[in-house]
Amino acid sequence: MAAQRVLILGAGYAGVMAANRLAGRSPAARVTVVNPAADFIERIRLHQVAARTRASAAVPLGSLLNPAVELTVDSAVRIDPARRLVHLAGSPAPLAYDALLYAVGSGHAPATPGTGDDAGCGFGVQDAPSAARLRSRLRSLAPGSTVSVVGAGLTGLELVTEIAESHRHLRLRLMTRGVVGGDLTPSGARAVRARLARLDVEVVENTDVRSCDESTLTTSAGAVLPSACTVRAAGFAVPPLAGDSGLPTDPHGRLLVDSSLACPDHPGIFGAGDAAKVAGPEGLHLRMSCASALPLGAQAADGIAAHLDGGGPSPASAGFLLRCISLGRGAGLIQPVTAGDHPRGPVLRGPLAALAKEQVCRMTVSWLRAESRRPGSFSWPRGPKAALPEHTAGVR
Ligand SMILES: Cc1cc2nc3c(=O)[nH]c(=O)nc-3n(C[C@H](O)[C@H](O)[C@H](O)COP(=O)(O)OP(=O)(O)OC[C@H]3O[C@@H](n4cnc5c(N)ncnc54)[C@H](O)[C@@H]3O)c2cc1C
């Protein structure tokens, strides 16, 4: 019997986890990963690359993928679900599949003009080229220049503190349309505020940024502030590939999948990670994160294996335990959360929390490697028993 062809689009946290799990467990499947580069990018370290506390976030895929996985360095430009083909940017010959995992991840959220979200002329940290660009911009700034980070979610907090700690000659400003730490427990929010104060980060709350140029930014209230470098850290957007291919998407362009991570009406197509939206209660709490991409990648692999074996779907379940936030290299915050991602309980802060976060970053890569050697070894916290209807997850 001919091997069944599994195509995995995207070698991020979800795609690599799925490829290793499938290649080791389903010898009858021929697994091919399509990714634009031969490196896996540890996106969770890109703020470190930008701040020069780490040289690179690239890990050669050859060192991560199960040797049975084939890697095609290319970009998928269109999926043809009727013919079960994927067209590539760099090759006239499309790739055929029996099962497909859509795991193309996310990047920079485009600014929405007129919404006060129009800081798109600045810098970003969403992918490796953006982090490299920001790194060289920071390097070129004269002492005393102001760097504004727009967005005080987890990525914005990690970025502003990383730069503030490593670039003491620059002035750092954190701008948010809400309040800092609004999504943490009161003790978590106090710890973050104390750290920002210690690093002399100016905090501007309840303010939108309308536009920016090389030396200033303009708020939605019309105030013009000095800013030699404005960095957008206010959410991720996904590639348009699913929608362009006629597959069902949510309003953000994420591939819509059911609770078993399968795309309804398109048998054999599965989705996981930032680029997929799990419809229904099982997906309500899932925010774009490495913390959900890894378990969803593992469960998509199990779903694909069952599909190829003619088995029935089984619902995926992924939940959260902790929000692990670096606040520079010298401090961090570990905020416990419920499985549904609601902050709770006492926090761990300071250098111990920084150490814990560093261990988590190392573990993500170790888990991917371990799954290649011992398929099925990765385990994760299950999702909430009953998702709260009022809680809709955003991005990290
Ligand atoms: C600075 C920063 C810090 C972060 N810190 C954390 C953290 O501490 N904890 C946490 O949980 N999350 C964190 N995140 C979020 C986390 O990185 C993402 O949610 C996670 O990377 C999503 O994984 P993924 O596998 O879905 O996609 P990605 O990791 O984005 O990988 C997708 C892959 O698909 C490839 N691809 C894209 N288009 C195509 C195409 N057309 N064809 C083929 N391949 C394609 C991409 O090049 C990429 O290799 C952070 C993000 C940033 C930017």
Side-chain angles (χ1 to χ4, degrees), residues 87-116:
H87 295 271
L88 303 175
S91 164
L95 296 178
Y97 64 84
D98 297 299
L100 174 85
L101 176 61
Y102 187 80
V104 295
S106 67
H108 193 42
T112 318
T115 62

PDB file of all heavy atoms in Angstrom, residues 87-116:
ATOM      1  N   HIS A  87      -0.120  24.592  -3.813  1.00  0.00           N
ATOM      2  CA  HIS A  87       0.764  25.272  -4.759  1.00  0.00           C
ATOM      3  C   HIS A  87       1.812  26.066  -3.984  1.00  0.00           C
ATOM      4  O   HIS A  87       1.497  26.684  -2.963  1.00  0.00           O
ATOM      5  CB  HIS A  87      -0.052  26.194  -5.668  1.00  0.00           C
ATOM      6  CG  HIS A  87      -1.001  25.425  -6.534  1.00  0.00           C
ATOM      7  ND1 HIS A  87      -0.658  24.945  -7.774  1.00  0.00           N
ATOM      8  CD2 HIS A  87      -2.281  25.013  -6.313  1.00  0.00           C
ATOM      9  CE1 HIS A  87      -1.678  24.284  -8.298  1.00  0.00           C
ATOM     10  NE2 HIS A  87      -2.684  24.315  -7.423  1.00  0.00           N
ATOM     11  N   LEU A  88       3.027  26.037  -4.512  1.00  0.00           N
ATOM     12  CA  LEU A  88       4.154  26.663  -3.806  1.00  0.00           C
ATOM     13  C   LEU A  88       4.659  27.887  -4.552  1.00  0.00           C
ATOM     14  O   LEU A  88       4.510  27.981  -5.773  1.00  0.00           O
ATOM     15  CB  LEU A  88       5.293  25.650  -3.656  1.00  0.00           C
ATOM     16  CG  LEU A  88       4.942  24.344  -2.941  1.00  0.00           C
ATOM     17  CD1 LEU A  88       6.121  23.379  -2.977  1.00  0.00           C
ATOM     18  CD2 LEU A  88       4.539  24.625  -1.484  1.00  0.00           C
ATOM     19  N   ALA A  89       5.289  28.813  -3.815  1.00  0.00           N
ATOM     20  CA  ALA A  89       5.828  30.025  -4.446  1.00  0.00           C
ATOM     21  C   ALA A  89       7.015  29.698  -5.342  1.00  0.00           C
ATOM     22  O   ALA A  89       7.175  30.297  -6.406  1.00  0.00           O
ATOM     23  CB  ALA A  89       6.246  31.015  -3.360  1.00  0.00           C
ATOM     24  N   GLY A  90       7.822  28.730  -4.932  1.00  0.00           N
ATOM     25  CA  GLY A  90       9.100  28.537  -5.609  1.00  0.00           C
ATOM     26  C   GLY A  90       9.163  27.330  -6.525  1.00  0.00           C
ATOM     27  O   GLY A  90      10.257  26.973  -6.966  1.00  0.00           O
ATOM     28  N   SER A  91       8.040  26.679  -6.776  1.00  0.00           N
ATOM     29  CA  SER A  91       8.090  25.485  -7.618  1.00  0.00           C
ATOM     30  C   SER A  91       6.811  25.382  -8.441  1.00  0.00           C
ATOM     31  O   SER A  91       5.720  25.579  -7.909  1.00  0.00           O
ATOM     32  CB  SER A  91       8.243  24.239  -6.735  1.00  0.00           C
ATOM     33  OG  SER A  91       7.919  23.088  -7.475  1.00  0.00           O
ATOM     34  N   PRO A  92       6.943  25.042  -9.727  1.00  0.00           N
ATOM     35  CA  PRO A  92       5.729  24.912 -10.543  1.00  0.00           C
ATOM     36  C   PRO A  92       4.942  23.646 -10.194  1.00  0.00           C
ATOM     37  O   PRO A  92       3.761  23.541 -10.519  1.00  0.00           O
ATOM     38  CB  PRO A  92       6.275  24.837 -11.972  1.00  0.00           C
ATOM     39  CG  PRO A  92       7.700  24.418 -11.839  1.00  0.00           C
ATOM     40  CD  PRO A  92       8.176  24.821 -10.485  1.00  0.00           C
ATOM     41  N   ALA A  93       5.596  22.679  -9.541  1.00  0.00           N
ATOM     42  CA  ALA A  93       4.915  21.404  -9.258  1.00  0.00           C
ATOM     43  C   ALA A  93       4.237  21.478  -7.887  1.00  0.00           C
ATOM     44  O   ALA A  93       4.904  21.632  -6.869  1.00  0.00           O
ATOM     45  CB  ALA A  93       5.937  20.278  -9.271  1.00  0.00           C
ATOM     46  N   PRO A  94       2.892  21.371  -7.872  1.00  0.00           N
ATOM     47  CA  PRO A  94       2.224  21.396  -6.572  1.00  0.00           C
ATOM     48  C   PRO A  94       2.477  20.106  -5.798  1.00  0.00           C
ATOM     49  O   PRO A  94       2.843  19.086  -6.380  1.00  0.00           O
ATOM     50  CB  PRO A  94       0.742  21.533  -6.945  1.00  0.00           C
ATOM     51  CG  PRO A  94       0.638  20.999  -8.331  1.00  0.00           C
ATOM     52  CD  PRO A  94       1.969  21.193  -8.991  1.00  0.00           C
ATOM     53  N   LEU A  95       2.277  20.172  -4.486  1.00  0.00           N
ATOM     54  CA  LEU A  95       2.429  18.979  -3.643  1.00  0.00           C
ATOM     55  C   LEU A  95       1.044  18.389  -3.373  1.00  0.00           C
ATOM     56  O   LEU A  95       0.098  19.117  -3.038  1.00  0.00           O
ATOM     57  CB  LEU A  95       3.091  19.346  -2.313  1.00  0.00           C
ATOM     58  CG  LEU A  95       4.523  19.887  -2.391  1.00  0.00           C
ATOM     59  CD1 LEU A  95       5.029  20.268  -0.993  1.00  0.00           C
ATOM     60  CD2 LEU A  95       5.453  18.841  -3.017  1.00  0.00           C
ATOM     61  N   ALA A  96       0.940  17.079  -3.503  1.00  0.00           N
ATOM     62  CA  ALA A  96      -0.339  16.403  -3.247  1.00  0.00           C
ATOM     63  C   ALA A  96      -0.376  15.921  -1.797  1.00  0.00           C
ATOM     64  O   ALA A  96       0.664  15.653  -1.193  1.00  0.00           O
ATOM     65  CB  ALA A  96      -0.477  15.215  -4.188  1.00  0.00           C
ATOM     66  N   TYR A  97      -1.584  15.847  -1.260  1.00  0.00           N
ATOM     67  CA  TYR A  97      -1.700  15.366   0.132  1.00  0.00           C
ATOM     68  C   TYR A  97      -2.933  14.485   0.306  1.00  0.00           C
ATOM     69  O   TYR A  97      -3.914  14.612  -0.437  1.00  0.00           O
ATOM     70  CB  TYR A  97      -1.772  16.559   1.109  1.00  0.00           C
ATOM     71  CG  TYR A  97      -2.989  17.442   0.938  1.00  0.00           C
ATOM     72  CD1 TYR A  97      -4.215  17.108   1.546  1.00  0.00           C
ATOM     73  CD2 TYR A  97      -2.937  18.603   0.174  1.00  0.00           C
ATOM     74  CE1 TYR A  97      -5.338  17.915   1.389  1.00  0.00           C
ATOM     75  CE2 TYR A  97      -4.060  19.402   0.009  1.00  0.00           C
ATOM     76  CZ  TYR A  97      -5.250  19.065   0.617  1.00  0.00           C
ATOM     77  OH  TYR A  97      -6.357  19.855   0.457  1.00  0.00           O
ATOM     78  N   ASP A  98      -2.852  13.611   1.308  1.00  0.00           N
ATOM     79  CA  ASP A  98      -4.042  12.894   1.788  1.00  0.00           C
ATOM     80  C   ASP A  98      -4.584  13.583   3.034  1.00  0.00           C
ATOM     81  O   ASP A  98      -5.783  13.536   3.299  1.00  0.00           O
ATOM     82  CB  ASP A  98      -3.689  11.436   2.093  1.00  0.00           C
ATOM     83  CG  ASP A  98      -3.239  10.700   0.831  1.00  0.00           C
ATOM     84  OD1 ASP A  98      -4.051  10.604  -0.100  1.00  0.00           O
ATOM     85  OD2 ASP A  98      -2.069  10.264   0.775  1.00  0.00           O
ATOM     86  N   ALA A  99      -3.676  14.186   3.810  1.00  0.00           N
ATOM     87  CA  ALA A  99      -4.096  14.992   4.966  1.00  0.00           C
ATOM     88  C   ALA A  99      -3.180  16.203   5.045  1.00  0.00           C
ATOM     89  O   ALA A  99      -1.997  16.135   4.691  1.00  0.00           O
ATOM     90  CB  ALA A  99      -4.011  14.174   6.255  1.00  0.00           C
ATOM     91  N   LEU A 100      -3.759  17.320   5.487  1.00  0.00           N
ATOM     92  CA  LEU A 100      -3.014  18.591   5.513  1.00  0.00           C
ATOM     93  C   LEU A 100      -3.187  19.244   6.875  1.00  0.00           C
ATOM     94  O   LEU A 100      -4.304  19.310   7.402  1.00  0.00           O
ATOM     95  CB  LEU A 100      -3.605  19.514   4.440  1.00  0.00           C
ATOM     96  CG  LEU A 100      -3.061  20.940   4.406  1.00  0.00           C
ATOM     97  CD1 LEU A 100      -1.789  20.993   3.570  1.00  0.00           C
ATOM     98  CD2 LEU A 100      -4.073  21.912   3.820  1.00  0.00           C
ATOM     99  N   LEU A 101      -2.093  19.742   7.436  1.00  0.00           N
ATOM    100  CA  LEU A 101      -2.203  20.549   8.658  1.00  0.00           C
ATOM    101  C   LEU A 101      -1.860  21.992   8.321  1.00  0.00           C
ATOM    102  O   LEU A 101      -0.761  22.286   7.824  1.00  0.00           O
ATOM    103  CB  LEU A 101      -1.267  20.027   9.760  1.00  0.00           C
ATOM    104  CG  LEU A 101      -1.274  20.896  11.033  1.00  0.00           C
ATOM    105  CD1 LEU A 101      -2.658  20.958  11.661  1.00  0.00           C
ATOM    106  CD2 LEU A 101      -0.258  20.392  12.053  1.00  0.00           C
ATOM    107  N   TYR A 102      -2.784  22.875   8.611  1.00  0.00           N
ATOM    108  CA  TYR A 102      -2.593  24.308   8.364  1.00  0.00           C
ATOM    109  C   TYR A 102      -2.053  24.912   9.665  1.00  0.00           C
ATOM    110  O   TYR A 102      -2.776  25.012  10.658  1.00  0.00           O
ATOM    111  CB  TYR A 102      -3.946  24.915   7.998  1.00  0.00           C
ATOM    112  CG  TYR A 102      -3.896  26.356   7.560  1.00  0.00           C
ATOM    113  CD1 TYR A 102      -3.525  26.688   6.266  1.00  0.00           C
ATOM    114  CD2 TYR A 102      -4.245  27.378   8.431  1.00  0.00           C
ATOM    115  CE1 TYR A 102      -3.502  28.014   5.840  1.00  0.00           C
ATOM    116  CE2 TYR A 102      -4.226  28.708   8.020  1.00  0.00           C
ATOM    117  CZ  TYR A 102      -3.847  29.012   6.720  1.00  0.00           C
ATOM    118  OH  TYR A 102      -3.822  30.319   6.308  1.00  0.00           O
ATOM    119  N   ALA A 103      -0.765  25.294   9.658  1.00  0.00           N
ATOM    120  CA  ALA A 103      -0.121  25.783  10.887  1.00  0.00           C
ATOM    121  C   ALA A 103       0.837  26.922  10.541  1.00  0.00           C
ATOM    122  O   ALA A 103       1.993  26.928  10.953  1.00  0.00           O
ATOM    123  CB  ALA A 103       0.622  24.632  11.585  1.00  0.00           C
ATOM    124  N   VAL A 104       0.332  27.895   9.762  1.00  0.00           N
ATOM    125  CA  VAL A 104       1.204  28.952   9.234  1.00  0.00           C
ATOM    126  C   VAL A 104       1.423  30.118  10.206  1.00  0.00           C
ATOM    127  O   VAL A 104       2.083  31.100   9.869  1.00  0.00           O
ATOM    128  CB  VAL A 104       0.709  29.476   7.860  1.00  0.00           C
ATOM    129  CG1 VAL A 104       0.799  28.390   6.796  1.00  0.00           C
ATOM    130  CG2 VAL A 104      -0.721  30.004   7.961  1.00  0.00           C
ATOM    131  N   GLY A 105       0.879  30.005  11.422  1.00  0.00           N
ATOM    132  CA  GLY A 105       1.221  30.961  12.465  1.00  0.00           C
ATOM    133  C   GLY A 105       0.666  32.356  12.244  1.00  0.00           C
ATOM    134  O   GLY A 105      -0.379  32.551  11.614  1.00  0.00           O
ATOM    135  N   SER A 106       1.395  33.340  12.759  1.00  0.00           N
ATOM    136  CA  SER A 106       0.909  34.720  12.717  1.00  0.00           C
ATOM    137  C   SER A 106       2.084  35.675  12.618  1.00  0.00           C
ATOM    138  O   SER A 106       3.239  35.291  12.746  1.00  0.00           O
ATOM    139  CB  SER A 106       0.105  35.039  13.985  1.00  0.00           C
ATOM    140  OG  SER A 106       0.972  35.043  15.103  1.00  0.00           O
ATOM    141  N   GLY A 107       1.754  36.949  12.421  1.00  0.00           N
ATOM    142  CA  GLY A 107       2.780  37.987  12.361  1.00  0.00           C
ATOM    143  C   GLY A 107       2.197  39.288  12.850  1.00  0.00           C
ATOM    144  O   GLY A 107       1.320  39.307  13.696  1.00  0.00           O
ATOM    145  N   HIS A 108       2.658  40.332  12.220  1.00  0.00           N
ATOM    146  CA  HIS A 108       2.280  41.683  12.624  1.00  0.00           C
ATOM    147  C   HIS A 108       0.818  41.970  12.318  1.00  0.00           C
ATOM    148  O   HIS A 108       0.340  41.690  11.224  1.00  0.00           O
ATOM    149  CB  HIS A 108       3.151  42.637  11.820  1.00  0.00           C
ATOM    150  CG  HIS A 108       3.121  44.044  12.311  1.00  0.00           C
ATOM    151  ND1 HIS A 108       3.149  44.354  13.640  1.00  0.00           N
ATOM    152  CD2 HIS A 108       3.091  45.201  11.633  1.00  0.00           C
ATOM    153  CE1 HIS A 108       3.144  45.677  13.751  1.00  0.00           C
ATOM    154  NE2 HIS A 108       3.105  46.206  12.552  1.00  0.00           N
ATOM    155  N   ALA A 109       0.104  42.547  13.288  1.00  0.00           N
ATOM    156  CA  ALA A 109      -1.273  42.961  13.010  1.00  0.00           C
ATOM    157  C   ALA A 109      -1.246  44.279  12.262  1.00  0.00           C
ATOM    158  O   ALA A 109      -0.638  45.243  12.726  1.00  0.00           O
ATOM    159  CB  ALA A 109      -2.038  43.117  14.313  1.00  0.00           C
ATOM    160  N   PRO A 110      -1.882  44.353  11.090  1.00  0.00           N
ATOM    161  CA  PRO A 110      -1.869  45.618  10.364  1.00  0.00           C
ATOM    162  C   PRO A 110      -2.660  46.679  11.111  1.00  0.00           C
ATOM    163  O   PRO A 110      -3.636  46.360  11.781  1.00  0.00           O
ATOM    164  CB  PRO A 110      -2.538  45.276   9.032  1.00  0.00           C
ATOM    165  CG  PRO A 110      -3.314  44.037   9.286  1.00  0.00           C
ATOM    166  CD  PRO A 110      -2.695  43.335  10.446  1.00  0.00           C
ATOM    167  N   ALA A 111      -2.219  47.906  10.996  1.00  0.00           N
ATOM    168  CA  ALA A 111      -2.948  48.995  11.642  1.00  0.00           C
ATOM    169  C   ALA A 111      -4.302  49.180  10.982  1.00  0.00           C
ATOM    170  O   ALA A 111      -4.470  48.926   9.797  1.00  0.00           O
ATOM    171  CB  ALA A 111      -2.139  50.279  11.505  1.00  0.00           C
ATOM    172  N   THR A 112      -5.269  49.580  11.764  1.00  0.00           N
ATOM    173  CA  THR A 112      -6.601  49.838  11.212  1.00  0.00           C
ATOM    174  C   THR A 112      -6.830  51.338  11.236  1.00  0.00           C
ATOM    175  O   THR A 112      -7.098  51.908  12.288  1.00  0.00           O
ATOM    176  CB  THR A 112      -7.674  49.146  12.079  1.00  0.00           C
ATOM    177  OG1 THR A 112      -7.189  47.849  12.428  1.00  0.00           O
ATOM    178  CG2 THR A 112      -8.978  49.010  11.342  1.00  0.00           C
ATOM    179  N   PRO A 113      -6.712  52.003  10.080  1.00  0.00           N
ATOM    180  CA  PRO A 113      -6.841  53.461  10.079  1.00  0.00           C
ATOM    181  C   PRO A 113      -8.176  53.904  10.665  1.00  0.00           C
ATOM    182  O   PRO A 113      -9.196  53.252  10.453  1.00  0.00           O
ATOM    183  CB  PRO A 113      -6.749  53.824   8.598  1.00  0.00           C
ATOM    184  CG  PRO A 113      -6.115  52.647   7.937  1.00  0.00           C
ATOM    185  CD  PRO A 113      -6.489  51.458   8.750  1.00  0.00           C
ATOM    186  N   GLY A 114      -8.121  54.965  11.416  1.00  0.00           N
ATOM    187  CA  GLY A 114      -9.350  55.529  11.951  1.00  0.00           C
ATOM    188  C   GLY A 114      -9.801  54.900  13.248  1.00  0.00           C
ATOM    189  O   GLY A 114     -10.786  55.321  13.840  1.00  0.00           O
ATOM    190  N   THR A 115      -9.093  53.868  13.713  1.00  0.00           N
ATOM    191  CA  THR A 115      -9.516  53.224  14.956  1.00  0.00           C
ATOM    192  C   THR A 115      -8.598  53.601  16.113  1.00  0.00           C
ATOM    193  O   THR A 115      -8.731  53.086  17.207  1.00  0.00           O
ATOM    194  CB  THR A 115      -9.487  51.698  14.832  1.00  0.00           C
ATOM    195  OG1 THR A 115      -8.131  51.319  14.571  1.00  0.00           O
ATOM    196  CG2 THR A 115     -10.387  51.201  13.736  1.00  0.00           C
ATOM    197  N   GLY A 116      -7.655  54.466  15.852  1.00  0.00           N
ATOM    198  CA  GLY A 116      -6.700  54.780  16.901  1.00  0.00           C
ATOM    199  C   GLY A 116      -5.638  53.691  17.005  1.00  0.00           C
ATOM    200  O   GLY A 116      -4.848  53.667  17.934  1.00  0.00           O
TER     201      GLY A 116
END
